[in-house]
Amino acid sequence: MEENFQLKNKSIDNSSTTEIIFSKDIVISELYIDFTFIQSPSHYRNVSYEWEEILDDKLMLSSYSPKIIRWKDEVKAVSATNSGSWEIDPKKSLLRWYVVHPDLAPSFTYDRTDHRVWHFEYDFYEGNSFKLQFLFTKDEIEEWARTPIGFVPTVCFTDHCDFDTPDLLTKQRLIFSNTGIRTTKGIFLYDQSDRPFHASFENVGIKEELKLWEDDGHELAYHAFSKSEGKESQKHFNYYQSPADFEPIQTYIDHGFLSYNASQREPNELAAWFTHQNKKGIQQVWNYVDSFEATAFCNNQLSTYDSSIAALWKSKEIHEKEGLHEDSSRLFKAWLSYGTSEELDFAVKHLNTSIHQFRTEKAKAFPALTRNFLKTLKHAVNPEVISQNFLRRTKPFHFNRFTPIIFKSPHQKDTEVYSFQTASVKNFETALSEYSLEKLKREKGVLIAHTYFAYTSSNHAGRLFLDDSGKQNEVAVQGFERLGQLISNKEVWNPTIAEMVGFYKKLEKVEYRSENGKVKLVNAPGPSRKIS
């Protein structure tokens, strides 16, 4: 591999530096460097901005807070740049510094059977480089906040407009106006839908309504360009323009099955896709990945534990203890989606369909029922599924292993479009409960919510509206009021996704420097404070 990279090592005074420089264009899946310490560190600075003892288990430090470790003699080591993630193995006194890994920037394509094909190879070009530097000190050191208002949690809403109607659109806006919450609101430019009473930019009165959203401080974002695929779809993608008399739209939320979306593109087609979108003003896109299904307990995308089977089932205990509206079927579906395999998830869905058919068609549907039952059984006894559910219950789902939130989209060459990853929020009663928000505050967590504010069917317990007339779920509204009060008190940062990406881009430039034997923090875009 030496012909592909140049490695430069330098150690002086209180610093140790390794620089990786690509000698030629190359395709790789992982790139990391192992550092072995004479003695394992005793503590690390966790994402809640607290010192936490290092025990026996492996742990991960991401790029969304300072990477700082400490030894028993009070010597501290900090990453000079905000690059990559650390994985620490205390048993081996080993620190593995990942700078390239598929789970640092999750990306996938749907195949013809609607299964996800995760991307595992990434292009790098001659001259690309990474600088990995440790700075050491016994003195106090500054840590930086990941919000512009301090060491507080972040809640950002990215709403999908699939079920919006003119009436529900207005009622949503009034709720948020009354609670002081801002959102990134997905819109459809074109009235190409399989649903009646649809709200798209072409419908009468919708443009004026969306202008009121913008005037209230919400960000408008494309949710693809129409609800349904049609003969005009490719033309929509090729020639769309940001609407006149509105702020330029810079966020694109993938609407999966439409043929022009990134999730339908092969990796070698994505560079051209990003170039096209960037020329249209797009700065950030959804990567079509949810870290987990949000509950009262699973609500912090910076927590690897929240994205695990153990946390999913702990949520059930919390909901029962706190008297929250528990939807066992929803948790079961979340477990199928996150805690098993796509094959088992699909098999169970097909089995359910066969069961419903059998109830009406009887003998005629029996062969399909038998076939789907055997498929489900086959995938249920998969050793990987069994191991994940019994031996690795606390292990995070792979797409949240490094807690990716906002990152440069992979498969680009001449553009710098960013991706954001979300958490699915369907039950506002639990996700915005007092227990949930207190946990998020305590952990200084991050929640980028993937929502359907206008969804009214009963299979989403805790939804905002109980029916198509717009009857409010008062418990859900109380949750938004609770959150709005925290935002008003500056106890929670509530950015639009464009604002959040803009701030996180600045976090990428945060550095620590050694000046006159002291470790100094520079380029922090928000508040900082000293720790010892």
Side-chain angles (χ1 to χ4, degrees):
M1 294 293 286
E2 292 182 1
E3 70 274 13
N4 299 320
F5 310 98
Q6 295 179 46
L7 285 179
K8 297 182 178 179
N9 296 296
K10 184 178 181 181
S11 294
I12 55 171
D13 298 330
N14 64 338
S15 71
S16 175
T17 307
T18 300
E19 190 169 6
I20 309 168
I21 305 169
F22 289 84
S23 303
K24 63 180 183 180
D25 296 355
I26 188 174
V27 177
I28 59 177
S29 59
E30 293 185 27
L31 179 61
Y32 58 83
I33 293 185
D34 285 345
F35 299 91
T36 302
F37 300 119
I38 296 174
Q39 183 182 33
S40 287
S42 59
H43 291 78
Y44 72 103
R45 200 70 176 168
N46 65 22
V47 292
S48 302
Y49 298 101
E50 298 171 333
W51 286 114
E52 185 168 337
E53 186 178 1
I54 296 175
L55 302 174
D56 291 334
D57 294 334
K58 288 183 180 180
L59 58 96
M60 191 280 303
L61 281 70
S62 76
S63 60
Y64 303 109
S65 58
K67 291 190 280 289
I68 306 174
I69 52 179
R70 188 179 72 192
W71 282 265
K72 291 180 179 179
D73 63 0
E74 299 302 319
V75 171
K76 292 178 282 291
V78 60
S79 170
T81 60
N82 203 13
S83 176
S85 292
W86 289 356
E87 184 180 73
I88 297 175
D89 186 345
K91 293 179 180 178
K92 298 179 180 179
S93 298
L94 178 73
L95 186 152
R96 177 165 290 179
W97 195 327
Y98 284 98
V99 289
V100 180
H101 191 283
D103 296 338
L104 284 170
S107 175
F108 70 89
T109 299
Y110 281 115
D111 66 14
R112 293 180 180 178
T113 63
D114 286 335
H115 285 72
R116 291 183 292 188
V117 180
W118 293 94
H119 300 162
F120 292 103
E121 293 185 335
Y122 303 95
D123 296 320
F124 287 87
Y125 303 98
E126 182 179 356
N128 288 162
S129 63
F130 294 98
K131 183 180 179 181
L132 313 183
Q133 183 179 36
F134 296 97
L135 298 177
F136 301 92
T137 183
K138 276 192 172 183
D139 297 331
E140 289 184 323
I141 193 169
E142 286 186 276
E143 63 178 352
W144 43 266
R146 54 181 162 264
T147 84
I149 63 172
F151 298 86
V152 299
T154 300
V155 178
C156 172
F157 293 101
T158 61
D159 188 58
H160 296 214
C161 53
D162 304 41
F163 307 99
D164 279 346
T165 64
D167 188 38
L168 292 180
L169 197 57
T170 299
K171 289 185 175 181
Q172 291 169 54
R173 176 176 55 80
L174 293 176
I175 289 172
F176 298 131
S177 178
N178 291 333
T179 55
I181 291 171
R182 297 185 308 140
T183 71
T184 293
K185 179 63 177 170
I187 65 167
F188 292 134
L189 279 185
Y190 304 107
D191 187 27
Q192 186 170 273
S193 173
D194 55 2
R195 288 173 58 84
F197 311 113
H198 183 58
S200 79
F201 215 81
E202 291 185 321
N203 295 134
V204 175
I206 299 302
K207 179 178 179 180
E208 292 75 16
E209 172 62 27
L210 291 173
K211 189 63 180 174
L212 295 175
W213 278 76
E214 189 175 84
D215 291 344
D216 281 352
H218 301 277
E219 174 197 7
L220 300 185
Y222 301 118
H223 185 31
F225 305 111
S226 65
K227 174 68 168 63
S228 306
E229 182 92 18
K231 62 182 181 179
E232 298 292 310
S233 291
Q234 191 59 47
K235 183 178 177 181
H236 292 164
F237 177 74
N238 291 342
Y239 302 111
Y240 78 92
Q241 297 292 332
S242 190
D245 303 322
F246 283 78
E247 291 294 320
I249 294 178
Q250 56 178 287
T251 299
Y252 186 88
I253 300 174
D254 197 308
H255 189 31
F257 61 88
L258 291 169
S259 58
Y260 53 72
N261 275 310
S263 58
Q264 301 290 336
R265 292 280 191 263
E266 294 299 322
N268 61 3
E269 300 173 322
L270 285 172
W273 189 90
F274 281 116
T275 296
H276 172 76
Q277 293 285 58
N278 195 233
K279 286 179 179 178
K280 297 288 189 177
I282 298 302
Q283 299 294 317
Q284 51 271 333
V285 301
W286 182 40
N287 72 337
Y288 215 88
V289 177
D290 288 320
S291 297
F292 48 76
E293 179 93 12
T295 66
F297 185 78
C298 303
N299 63 0
N300 180 8
Q301 289 172 249
L302 289 177
S303 166
T304 55
Y305 185 76
D306 283 20
S307 181
S308 70
I309 292 172
L312 186 63
W313 294 116
K314 185 174 178 62
S315 298
K316 183 175 178 64
E317 298 176 19
I318 297 297
H319 293 171
E320 292 174 353
K321 180 180 178 182
E322 297 294 321
L324 297 171
H325 189 170
E326 171 60 47
D327 182 2
S328 297
S329 65
R330 186 73 246 164
L331 282 179
F332 177 74
K333 290 175 183 177
W335 169 74
L336 277 175
S337 296
Y338 296 94
T340 64
S341 65
E342 281 194 280
E343 290 77 15
L344 180 56
D345 190 13
F346 272 70
V348 170
K349 290 174 182 176
H350 292 154
L351 178 60
N352 284 335
T353 300
S354 295
I355 291 172
H356 289 304
Q357 290 174 340
F358 182 73
R359 287 171 178 165
T360 57
E361 300 176 18
K362 303 301 180 183
K364 183 181 177 181
F366 187 74
L369 175 63
T370 303
R371 184 170 59 251
N372 286 322
F373 173 77
L374 292 175
K375 278 187 179 179
T376 302
L377 185 61
K378 171 188 172 183
H379 294 305
V381 296
N382 182 320
E384 179 63 23
V385 172
I386 294 172
S387 174
Q388 185 176 359
N389 279 269
F390 290 96
L391 303 178
R392 296 181 284 126
R393 289 170 54 84
T394 61
K395 184 177 180 179
F397 309 130
H398 77 87
F399 40 76
N400 206 47
R401 173 183 173 185
F402 296 112
T403 64
I405 299 174
I406 290 169
F407 48 88
K408 194 176 295 183
S409 305
H411 311 300
Q412 300 180 85
K413 185 173 183 181
D414 301 317
T415 52
E416 289 199 352
V417 177
Y418 277 66
S419 288
F420 58 92
Q421 187 158 304
T422 54
S424 174
V425 180
K426 297 184 175 71
N427 188 333
F428 299 111
E429 292 184 25
T430 56
L432 299 181
S433 64
E434 184 175 356
Y435 180 96
S436 177
L437 293 178
E438 282 298 320
K439 174 180 178 290
L440 202 63
K441 280 177 58 181
R442 185 170 62 252
E443 297 177 356
K444 316 294 191 298
V446 172
L447 176 65
I448 304 177
H450 160 200
T451 60
Y452 297 89
F453 291 139
Y455 190 84
T456 59
S457 295
S458 60
N459 63 323
H460 283 196
R463 60 197 180 277
L464 183 55
F465 298 110
L466 298 175
D467 54 39
D468 291 341
S469 73
K471 182 181 179 181
Q472 294 180 10
N473 177 352
E474 293 304 326
V475 179
V477 172
Q478 288 168 13
F480 283 104
E481 291 172 343
R482 188 179 294 114
L483 174 62
Q485 188 61 54
L486 294 174
I487 294 167
S488 176
N489 295 341
K490 297 190 182 303
E491 296 177 77
V492 171
W493 184 40
N494 172 225
T496 65
I497 195 62
E499 292 170 343
M500 190 173 176
V501 170
F503 188 81
Y504 274 55
K505 286 181 181 179
K506 294 177 182 177
L507 290 179
E508 289 184 352
K509 299 178 181 178
V510 172
E511 293 182 8
Y512 288 90
R513 296 177 185 169
S514 180
E515 298 179 2
N516 300 318
K518 301 288 185 180
V519 175
K520 302 289 186 180
L521 174 66
V522 295
N523 298 331
S528 63
R529 64 188 181 191
K530 290 186 176 182
I531 59 172
S532 57

